[in-house]
Amino acid sequence: MTGARTARPDQATGPADPPAAQRAPRTRWAAYGALPLAVALWLLALRGVRLDRMGDLGLLQVLPPAYWAALALLAAGFVLLLRLPRPPAALAAGYVLALIAAVHATPSLLYPGPRYAWSWKHLAVVDAMLRHDGTVPHADGLDIYNQWPGFFQLNVLLLRATGLHSALGLADWYEPLANLLLLGPLLLLFAALTRDPRLIWGGAFLYYATSWVGQDYYSPQAFAYLLYLLVIALVVRRLAASTPSPDGPSPNGPSPGGRWRVGPFLLVLVLTAAVATSHQLTPLMLISTLLLLALPRRNRRTVLPVLAAAVATTVLWDATVARRYVAANLGDLTAALLSPDRNVLSGVAGLGAAAPGQVLVAWTDRATAAAVLLLALTALLVDRRLRRTGLPMLLAAPLPLLLANPYGGEMIFRAYLFALPAAAFLGATLLFGGRTPRPPWRTPAACAAVLVLLTGLLLGNYSKEAMNWFSTQEIAAVDYVAATAPPGSRLVSVTADLPGGERRYDQLERTVLGQLTADDQRRLVTDPLPVVQQLMDDPRTTGPSYLILTRAQAAECRLTGRLPADTVDLVHAAVAGSPRFQAVFTTPDAVVYRYLPPVAAPGGRGGAR
C-alpha cells in the first residue's frame, strides 16, 4: 500500500491572496457559529412531534422545518470549516457528533422504546440466555442465536456486572452509541491514509451522511461491523507504520521487517474471534477484505497472519458450534454460488406491491449508493496516488460475497455498507481535498452535494418509521401477553412487526400469518376467520392461543405490500364478530384476542361454549 495523502499538512495551503486572507476570519466565524445554532434548532424541532401522523414517508412527514434547517446548517457550516487550511479538530469533531445526534439520536428521544422489531427480538434472546445462563433450549427458529451467541453473551455479562435485569435501555440508545463508537475506527483508518485533517474529518462526516442501510440498531450485525472496521483499521495502520516516511505515518506498504508486535496482534486475534462468534456474514467479509489486501506482495507480511487467524477462527467455529446451521444450509449456499447474477439482483426487485412513497424511497436509496460509489471511482480515476493505496481493495472487498450469496435479498445493501468507509474517504478527496485557496464554485458545489446525500440518507433511514416505531399501547399489549400467557401458549399476529413478539420464545409458540404459504395467504385475505381459527386451534398447542393486532402491523402491510393494505382490518373485523374470540386487551393502537376453543361435549363431540 502507498500513501493516500493528497498533500502534506504543511503544503496544504499555498500563498494566500489578499481576498482569501480577508475571507478567512469570516469563514472561521461562520463555521463556529453554525454548529451551536444547528444543535439548538435540532433540539427545538423535537418538541411536539406527532408520531401518530406518520404516513408512507415516516418521520419525514412529521419533522418540522427547524429540523431540516438544522441539517442544512450542519452541512454548510462543515463545508465552510473545511475551507480553512487547518480546521480545528475539536470543531470538526463537534460537527460530526452533531450529525450523529441529529440523525441517530432523534428516534431515541422521540420513541417510548427501541425502534425496529429486530431490536426487540434481540432483547428477547438476551433475556432468554440470561434466564438459562447460556444456551436456550427449545429455541426452534431462533436456535441460530445459540450458534452465534457472542453479542448476546456479552450483553448477559454486562447485565450481570451491572445488576440490571434488562438491556432495554441499552437497546433504546444503541443506534447513536454504535455510530459514536464507529467514529474511533473510522478516524484510525483515515489517519493511516493521510495527514490532511480535511480528508480525515471530511471522510468521517461523509460516512455518516451516506450510511442509510440501517444496520446500526441493537443487533449482532452492528456489533460485528464495529469489530470488523476496527480490525481493518488496525491492519491498515500497521501497514502505514511499517514504512518510515519523512512526514509521518503513511501506508506505503510494509518493509521486510514489518511484523506485528505481540500486544496489537493479540488484540486483533481477540477482535477476530469475537467477530467469528457473533455473526454469520461479517467473518466472511473480513476474510474477503484481508484476502484482497494481501494481494500486493509488500503487504503480505502484515496481512497474512491476520488472514490466517480469521480463516482459522471462522472455520473452527462453523465446524463446531455452528455446525447445525451450516450443515442444514449447505445445499442452498452451494446453489447460490452458481447464480451470481441472481445474487446481485435479488435486492433490487420486489417493489411492485409497495406503497408509492416506498417505491420512491427505494430508488432514492439506490441512487444515493450509486452516487457515493461514483464519487469514489471518480476519485480513483482523477488521482493515481489513490490507486496505489489499499483503498481500491477496501472498496472491492464485498464484491466476491455479493456474487456468491443473496443473503435473503440483502447482500447488495450489506456490500454497500462494508464498502462505505473506503468510498466515503475517496469521496472526501473530491469534495474537500486539494490545495487552498480553491475555486469559489467548489464550496457551494460541495455543500450542495452533501445536502443531496443527506436527503438520500434521511429517506433511507426514516421513511419506514410508521412500522419501525411502537407506541406505548403496542408495547403494553405485548407486555400483557408475555406476563399472562402460561407456557405452551401460542401468539398469532398478521406480521412479525411486534415490540417483543419473541419474548419467552423458549416457552411460547409463535405463528405469523404473513409467513404462511401463498395459498394460505390467498385464503386469509379472502376469508380470514377459518384460517385464523384453524391456526389457533392447533392441537399441538398446550396452552391458550392469543391473536395480537397492532397499528405497526397494519403499517407494514401498507408500506411493503407483502399483504394487502387492509389485511389487519379484515382479520380484526372477522374475529371481532366471532364468539370464539374474546378481547382481553383493547386500545386504539393494539388489541389482543384470546381464542375460546369449542368445549368437548359428552361422547367426544364438540359443543359450543
Side-chain angles (χ1 to χ4, degrees):
M1 294 173 68
T2 57
R5 299 182 306 280
T6 58
R8 287 176 50 177
D10 57 346
Q11 297 173 334
T13 58
D17 57 2
Q22 294 170 5
R23 288 194 302 267
R26 294 198 297 269
T27 300
R28 182 178 296 273
W29 283 112
Y32 270 97
L35 178 59
L37 183 56
V39 172
L41 282 174
W42 167 60
L43 294 174
L44 180 66
L46 300 186
R47 300 175 57 188
V49 174
R50 291 289 304 273
L51 298 176
D52 57 334
R53 295 182 178 177
M54 287 193 291
D56 289 357
L57 292 179
L59 267 180
L60 302 179
Q61 294 169 274
V62 297
L63 289 171
Y67 181 84
W68 307 103
L71 287 180
L73 268 176
L74 280 178
F78 186 75
V79 172
L80 286 176
L81 174 67
L82 295 195
R83 287 186 62 186
L84 301 174
R86 295 177 179 82
L91 187 58
Y95 271 100
V96 174
L97 294 176
L99 179 62
I100 293 172
V103 174
H104 299 291
T106 293
S108 300
L109 291 169
L110 292 178
Y111 298 173
R115 69 192 288 243
Y116 205 34
W118 285 81
S119 296
W120 292 87
K121 176 188 283 191
H122 298 146
L123 282 170
V125 176
V126 171
D127 172 70
M129 289 189 175
L130 183 64
R131 285 188 283 108
H132 289 283
D133 198 21
T135 301
V136 181
H138 313 297
D140 296 328
L142 299 185
D143 184 57
I144 188 172
Y145 297 124
N146 286 331
Q147 299 174 58
W148 278 278
F151 168 77
F152 304 103
Q153 289 297 335
L154 180 62
N155 277 263
V156 169
L157 181 63
L158 179 64
L159 292 179
R160 293 195 188 282
T162 57
L164 298 174
H165 300 290
S166 171
L168 182 62
L170 175 60
D172 197 6
W173 286 91
Y174 195 81
E175 186 177 333
L177 176 62
N179 282 280
L180 178 62
L181 293 176
L182 275 176
L183 183 58
L186 283 172
L187 295 179
L188 188 68
L189 174 63
F190 297 160
L193 296 168
T194 183
R195 294 182 62 189
D196 188 341
R198 297 172 303 164
L199 299 186
I200 295 172
W201 290 106
F205 193 91
L206 205 58
Y207 173 89
Y208 290 111
T210 54
S211 182
W212 57 265
V213 178
Q215 293 300 314
D216 44 12
Y217 61 96
Y218 183 72
S219 64
Q221 165 72 86
F223 173 69
Y225 181 72
L226 171 66
L227 301 184
Y228 159 89
L229 193 56
L230 184 54
V231 170
I232 297 304
L234 290 171
V235 170
V236 174
R237 189 77 174 177
R238 181 62 200 149
L239 291 173
S242 59
T243 296
S245 176
D247 61 345
S250 67
N252 285 336
S255 64
R259 295 185 177 89
W260 287 90
R261 294 191 298 273
V262 174
F265 188 68
L266 288 178
L267 174 61
V268 169
L269 289 182
V270 171
L271 295 173
T272 302
V275 171
T277 61
S278 296
H279 196 243
Q280 311 97 282
L281 174 64
T282 310
L284 302 180
M285 283 288 189
L286 179 60
I287 291 172
S288 178
T289 305
L290 293 171
L291 189 61
L292 289 187
L293 284 176
L295 290 180
R297 177 179 295 182
R298 60 184 179 273
N299 291 354
R300 292 174 187 171
R301 188 179 295 271
T302 298
V303 178
L304 286 181
V306 184
L307 175 61
V311 171
T313 54
T314 302
V315 170
L316 180 63
W317 189 265
D318 290 355
T320 54
V321 180
R323 186 170 179 266
R324 289 195 309 277
Y325 176 87
V326 174
N329 293 274
L330 188 59
D332 292 339
L333 296 172
T334 304
L337 293 173
L338 304 177
S339 305
D341 54 337
R342 273 185 293 180
N343 297 335
V344 173
L345 298 175
S346 62
V348 178
L351 297 176
Q358 291 301 304
V359 175
L360 170 66
V361 168
W363 285 110
T364 302
D365 290 343
R366 292 158 189 173
T368 302
V372 173
L373 296 176
L374 183 61
L375 278 175
L377 293 175
T378 302
L380 289 174
L381 290 174
V382 168
D383 192 340
R384 64 183 180 185
R385 290 171 297 179
L386 295 174
R387 299 196 293 271
R388 295 197 296 267
T389 71
L391 288 167
M393 280 84 84
L394 296 178
L395 193 66
L399 185 59
L401 290 182
L402 177 60
L403 297 173
N405 196 282
Y407 202 66
E410 294 186 9
M411 185 62 83
I412 190 169
F413 307 120
R414 304 296 178 97
Y416 171 77
L417 177 66
F418 281 89
L420 186 55
F425 181 87
L426 288 167
T429 65
L430 278 184
L431 295 179
F432 311 123
R435 298 175 64 86
T436 57
R438 290 174 284 177
W441 59 266
R442 283 198 63 182
T443 297
C447 187
V450 172
L451 285 173
V452 169
L453 294 173
L454 272 173
T455 302
L457 165 78
L458 294 176
L459 280 167
N461 211 38
Y462 284 165
S463 61
K464 287 187 172 66
E465 292 310 284
M467 58 179 274
N468 286 342
W469 82 281
F470 304 102
S471 68
T472 54
Q473 297 172 6
E474 293 172 282
I475 296 171
V478 179
D479 286 345
Y480 170 82
V481 175
T484 60
S489 298
R490 180 177 296 274
L491 174 61
V492 179
S493 60
V494 175
T495 76
D497 199 26
L498 285 176
E502 293 79 13
R503 288 175 61 181
R504 296 174 57 202
Y505 64 90
D506 53 323
Q507 300 172 344
L508 307 178
E509 302 292 332
R510 178 86 187 275
T511 299
V512 178
L513 300 177
Q515 297 173 359
L516 299 175
T517 64
D519 289 340
D520 286 338
Q521 287 187 30
R522 282 191 289 269
R523 290 174 50 219
L524 174 71
V525 299
T526 303
D527 187 8
L529 187 59
V531 177
V532 176
Q533 188 166 314
Q534 180 181 2
L535 289 171
M536 301 188 76
D537 204 18
D538 191 332
R540 295 171 297 178
T541 303
T542 59
S545 292
Y546 298 87
L547 173 67
I548 181 167
L549 304 172
T550 64
R551 176 209 54 80
Q553 293 178 67
E556 182 178 10
C557 292
R558 184 179 73 253
L559 295 179
T560 65
R562 298 189 185 106
L563 288 171
D566 60 349
T567 301
V568 172
D569 291 336
L570 288 174
V571 173
H572 192 187
V575 301
S578 170
R580 295 280 174 244
F581 292 84
Q582 175 190 11
V584 293
F585 185 96
T586 304
T587 66
D589 283 350
V591 59
V592 178
Y593 287 95
R594 177 169 173 164
Y595 178 65
L596 305 176
V599 177
R605 299 182 62 182
R609 174 169 288 182

